[in-house]
Amino acid sequence: MALLQIAEPGQSQAPHQRRLAVGIDLGTTNSLVAAVQSGSAQVLCDDSDIWSVPSVVHFNADGQVTVGVAAESMQTDALNTIRSAKRLMGKNAEDLEQSWLNEHYRFDSTSGSLPAFITAAGNKTAIDVSSAILGTLKTTAESSLGGDLVGAVITVPAYFDDAQRQATKDAAALAGLQVLRLLNEPTAAAVAYGLDNDGDGTIAIYDLGGGTFDISLLRMQRGVFEVLATAGDTALGGDDIDNAIVDWLLEQAGLESLDDEFARSTMKAAARLAKEDLTDKHETVIEWVDVKPGRADTLTRDDFNAIVEPLVKRTLTPCRSVLRDAGVDREDISAVVMVGGSTRVPLVRERISAFFERPVLTNIDPDQVVAIGAAIQADILAGNKPDNDLLLLDVTPLSLGLETMGGLVEKVIPRNTTIPIARGQEFTTYKDGQTAMSLHVVQGERELVTDCRSLARFELNDIPPRVAGAARIQVLFQVDADGLLTVSALERESGAAASVDVKPSYGLSDGEIEQMLQASMDNANEDMQKRALQEQLVDASRVLEAISSALTSDGDEYLSGDERAAIDRLVEKLQAAMQADTANADRNAVQAAVQALEQGSEKFVERRMNASVRRMMAGQAIDELETTLARTNNNNSATDSTIDSSVSG
């Protein structure tokens, strides 16, 4: 009789087989891929034993795409050789920086929302360029590991917004890579050093790369990494050090500038080599090869430090800023991690160590530390370490909220809120005697429900019938670590409750998220004007309903015929201002009509109130009357605090 093997849920039929997953550092200047092998994370090399791939892509007219070192050598075809495309990820045509426009690249900003480089192979966006780099890294990984990848963890700067993160995912999809997670670069560096195993503490990640500088503060608490604050300078990096050395060389030669771009590029390459030499040496010789044959200058460590000092000082300003923003003192920092090739400069390490008053961590190659951390996280997410309890906090991609009166959106959880999160808000009824409430859960950044995405609807019943605004309904939004949204409503007095679950990702594609974010930015001013109008219309409706109810019950008793006719005319004017075609409604006209109706009804309201007080006082002792009045005032105050948050029902 044959024996049947039954695998536990989630287990493979080959329990000792590792799933192949990698960590990718998609950098502005260089990119690399790493994986966990034999229990340790290692950066993977290509067939030429090169582990760092320059983030440079060349496109030719035949459709051939060249990436990395080979693309770097094609500087004579600068128009088709794209560098630093990461800076344009998630940007639209309006976001093109002047620095890009001053470059030799040509852009087509009319073919779509994304700016595209005009190349011999056609228009190429930053997503296309990044996809080519990711594809090369994928090939390197599969060749080195000997199998197909189940996915990759790709690192992004902590300050990347939703659009930039989405663009990174799109680039991975084009390259045929399954994204297991987008991981913040500073978090990856902390994971690489195993700081998640050192207990709770606050960690500083100092990242000085080729083109940008970032400083991030992370808090590790109960196994959870949280980004406290970030700061930096997007126009400060190793390239600036190289340019400063070139300027020094020009000064030594008595020159104001170089003749052409090729000459400057050649001298920048020589300056970069000198910078690397001075990491270990006290002086180096820089030869003006192909620019001024036979000329050479000696650069000492002291001269180099004098050149670099102003740039290093510039990095200290964001360091102070990030401490202030996070409300953290220097003595509270438990570790300082150095990331980026420019942190090899001895003066950088000295100044940062002195600033934070502790030794900096440099045990892991600063060029590799981010990729190594991403590889460790990829190994966990692939299921190779199921017992790991490290939690890396994600964020909500779009705001979550409820529909309120007038078709407005009341945002309860703003976008980019760290999850898991639970956040509640109190709402109330709109009409007298209301016993049920319809709750409409929406997602998006726009001010009107019609411009947002509907997620779910549910009803809360059995609300005790009371006057409008008296009920207290607590609505709670909860998003767990997997992105599952639960919305619940509770009426406090009766205990009536209802809830709804919304599936993870909320049914939105990544492209739809990007479109919604772009629409919210494009229509921000118009949306705020529409919201202001709708709020005024809701207020006017509330006034109309209150006046109409009072006239129906007591109008004949407290008003003469002329007084009643005058109020009726004011009501008609307000109704006319609140015309059905609200797109043409005038907010100021509605507001003026409301004020006129309130002023014209003052005597009527006063007479009703006096009559109510007389009825209340009849047959009561003074002390009983004072207690009743106090209770009435308290109720009125509570109602006023939530009247503007009424939910339709």
Side-chain angles (χ1 to χ4, degrees):
M1 179 178 177
L3 296 177
L4 300 178
Q5 289 186 322
I6 301 176
E8 293 292 334
Q11 285 189 349
S12 67
Q13 295 181 6
H16 300 293
Q17 181 177 350
R18 293 184 64 83
R19 299 176 179 87
L20 301 180
V22 296
I24 292 177
D25 177 6
L26 182 61
T28 304
T29 307
N30 294 288
S31 299
L32 50 158
V33 58
V36 174
Q37 294 180 293
S38 302
S40 64
Q42 305 171 25
V43 172
L44 305 178
C45 298
D46 62 13
D47 294 337
S48 301
D49 204 30
I50 297 174
W51 56 264
S52 179
V53 178
S55 298
V56 183
V57 180
H58 177 268
F59 300 93
N60 69 12
D62 297 330
Q64 182 179 356
V65 180
T66 307
V67 178
V69 175
E72 271 194 318
S73 65
M74 299 179 178
Q75 288 305 310
T76 53
D77 189 16
L79 282 175
N80 299 307
T81 306
I82 313 301
R83 296 173 173 270
S84 304
K86 180 177 177 178
R87 286 165 47 200
L88 275 183
M89 292 290 275
K91 304 291 186 181
N92 57 34
E94 288 81 24
D95 294 328
L96 276 176
E97 301 172 6
Q98 191 62 40
S99 59
W100 279 103
L101 298 176
N102 290 338
E103 293 279 357
H104 52 259
Y105 302 119
R106 294 177 300 168
F107 289 96
D108 180 1
S109 58
T110 62
S111 60
S113 61
L114 298 178
F117 298 94
I118 300 174
T119 73
N123 289 354
K124 300 296 180 181
T125 67
I127 293 175
D128 296 322
V129 177
S130 296
S131 174
I133 298 169
L134 289 171
T136 298
L137 296 174
K138 177 175 181 281
T139 300
T140 296
E142 290 179 337
S143 175
S144 180
L145 298 175
D148 295 334
L149 301 179
V150 299
V153 170
I154 302 177
T155 61
V156 294
Y159 58 78
F160 255 26
D161 60 21
D162 280 353
Q164 292 167 302
R165 292 169 190 266
Q166 182 55 49
T168 305
K169 287 184 178 181
D170 291 342
L174 285 175
L177 270 173
Q178 174 68 34
V179 178
L180 299 175
R181 179 182 193 109
L182 293 181
L183 183 63
N184 287 335
E185 291 168 358
T187 304
V191 170
Y193 273 98
L195 299 177
D196 50 300
N197 300 319
D198 291 346
D200 297 350
T202 303
I203 305 154
I205 311 294
Y206 181 96
D207 185 351
L208 186 60
T212 61
F213 165 66
D214 301 300
I215 176 71
S216 303
L217 292 187
L218 307 181
R219 175 179 290 153
M220 182 66 183
Q221 190 171 16
R222 298 178 182 178
V224 177
F225 264 127
E226 180 182 7
V227 178
L228 295 180
T230 63
D233 190 333
T234 57
L236 176 61
D239 286 344
D240 297 281
I241 296 176
D242 300 340
N243 287 329
I245 295 175
V246 171
D247 291 342
W248 178 84
L249 290 169
L250 292 176
E251 184 181 347
Q252 301 304 304
L255 300 174
E256 292 186 2
S257 63
L258 293 170
D259 296 336
D260 53 42
E261 187 64 29
F262 174 77
R264 187 167 186 89
S265 177
T266 300
M267 292 310 299
K268 275 190 70 174
R272 190 177 304 117
L273 290 175
K275 175 182 66 178
E276 294 169 358
D277 277 350
L278 290 173
T279 299
D280 303 312
K281 300 177 182 177
H282 288 283
E283 68 177 32
T284 186
V285 176
I286 304 174
E287 297 182 357
W288 291 57
V289 181
D290 298 330
V291 178
K292 280 185 173 296
R295 180 178 175 85
D297 289 287
T298 299
L299 180 61
T300 66
R301 173 76 68 81
D302 289 340
D303 289 335
F304 177 64
N305 287 346
I307 294 170
V308 174
E309 181 79 40
L311 298 174
V312 178
K313 283 185 176 180
R314 278 178 58 186
T315 71
L316 297 183
T317 299
C319 289
R320 296 185 184 95
S321 175
V322 80
L323 289 171
R324 182 175 61 253
D325 292 344
V328 173
D329 295 326
R330 298 184 200 185
E331 54 266 26
D332 297 329
I333 303 298
S334 57
V336 180
V337 177
M338 304 299 276
V339 178
S342 298
T343 60
R344 287 193 178 90
V345 174
L347 184 69
V348 172
R349 297 184 177 185
E350 291 173 15
R351 293 292 184 266
I352 302 311
S353 178
F355 178 84
F356 286 104
E357 300 174 353
R358 67 182 59 253
V360 295
L361 296 179
T362 58
N363 306 50
I364 302 175
D365 187 327
D367 280 323
Q368 299 184 1
V369 63
V370 169
I372 287 174
I376 293 171
Q377 179 65 10
D379 195 48
I380 294 169
L381 294 178
N384 296 324
K385 290 185 178 180
D387 57 333
N388 192 286
D389 59 357
L390 173 64
L391 176 61
L392 304 173
L393 296 180
D394 210 338
V395 296
T396 55
L398 291 170
S399 299
L400 301 168
L402 285 178
E403 177 182 357
T404 61
M405 287 301 300
L408 300 176
V409 177
E410 181 69 21
K411 295 181 178 67
V412 178
I413 298 181
R415 79 181 184 96
N416 279 340
T417 298
T418 302
I419 60 174
I421 181 70
R423 185 168 294 174
Q425 191 161 329
E426 195 170 74
F427 295 84
T428 188
T429 51
Y430 177 71
K431 293 185 177 181
D432 292 343
Q434 185 174 335
T435 60
M437 179 179 287
S438 174
L439 295 104
H440 184 196
V441 184
V442 296
Q443 178 188 38
E445 306 310 311
R446 305 289 294 275
E447 298 296 328
L448 301 183
V449 169
T450 53
D451 298 319
C452 290
R453 183 179 179 85
S454 174
L455 298 183
R457 296 177 185 268
F458 68 106
E459 289 188 358
L460 175 65
N461 297 305
D462 301 323
I463 300 173
R466 303 178 64 183
V467 297
R472 291 290 174 268
I473 292 91
Q474 178 72 35
V475 179
L476 181 65
F477 278 60
Q478 294 176 288
V479 185
D480 66 16
D482 294 321
L484 177 65
L485 169 65
T486 300
V487 183
S488 59
L490 171 68
E491 201 285 317
R492 293 185 173 182
E493 181 180 338
S494 65
S499 65
V500 65
D501 291 334
V502 184
K503 64 180 180 179
S505 79
Y506 321 120
L508 275 179
S509 70
D510 293 336
E512 288 173 318
I513 291 178
E514 184 174 356
Q515 290 173 5
M516 292 176 74
L517 287 172
Q518 188 61 49
S520 71
M521 292 183 283
D522 293 341
N523 298 281
N525 292 333
E526 182 182 351
D527 284 354
M528 291 308 297
Q529 293 173 1
K530 287 182 178 179
R531 182 179 184 92
L533 172 59
Q534 289 298 328
E535 288 175 343
Q536 185 62 62
L537 290 173
V538 169
D539 184 56
S541 297
R542 188 176 294 114
V543 171
L544 270 181
E545 185 163 347
I547 291 294
S548 298
S549 177
L551 288 173
T552 300
S553 61
D554 300 320
D556 295 338
E557 182 176 356
Y558 300 114
L559 291 172
S560 66
D562 291 342
E563 289 173 331
R564 174 66 181 262
I567 293 178
D568 286 341
R569 285 194 296 270
L570 291 172
V571 168
E572 290 173 359
K573 287 183 178 180
L574 177 54
Q575 290 173 334
M578 297 168 59
Q579 55 189 308
D581 184 7
T582 56
N584 296 324
D586 186 337
R587 178 191 171 203
N588 294 329
V590 174
Q591 186 176 21
V594 168
Q595 292 174 349
L597 178 56
E598 289 176 337
Q599 292 171 1
S601 305
E602 282 181 353
K603 290 183 179 180
F604 175 47
V605 173
E606 183 180 350
R607 292 168 190 169
R608 292 186 78 233
M609 185 177 297
N610 290 339
S612 176
V613 171
R614 285 195 297 270
R615 287 194 298 269
M616 183 175 59
M617 292 175 62
Q620 290 196 43
I622 294 298
D623 56 346
E624 294 175 348
L625 179 60
E626 290 176 346
T627 301
T628 303
L629 286 172
R631 187 181 300 117
T632 302
N633 289 334
N634 288 337
N635 288 338
N636 288 338
S637 297
T639 301
D640 290 341
S641 67
T642 57
I643 194 72
D644 290 333
S645 298
S646 302
V647 178
S648 58

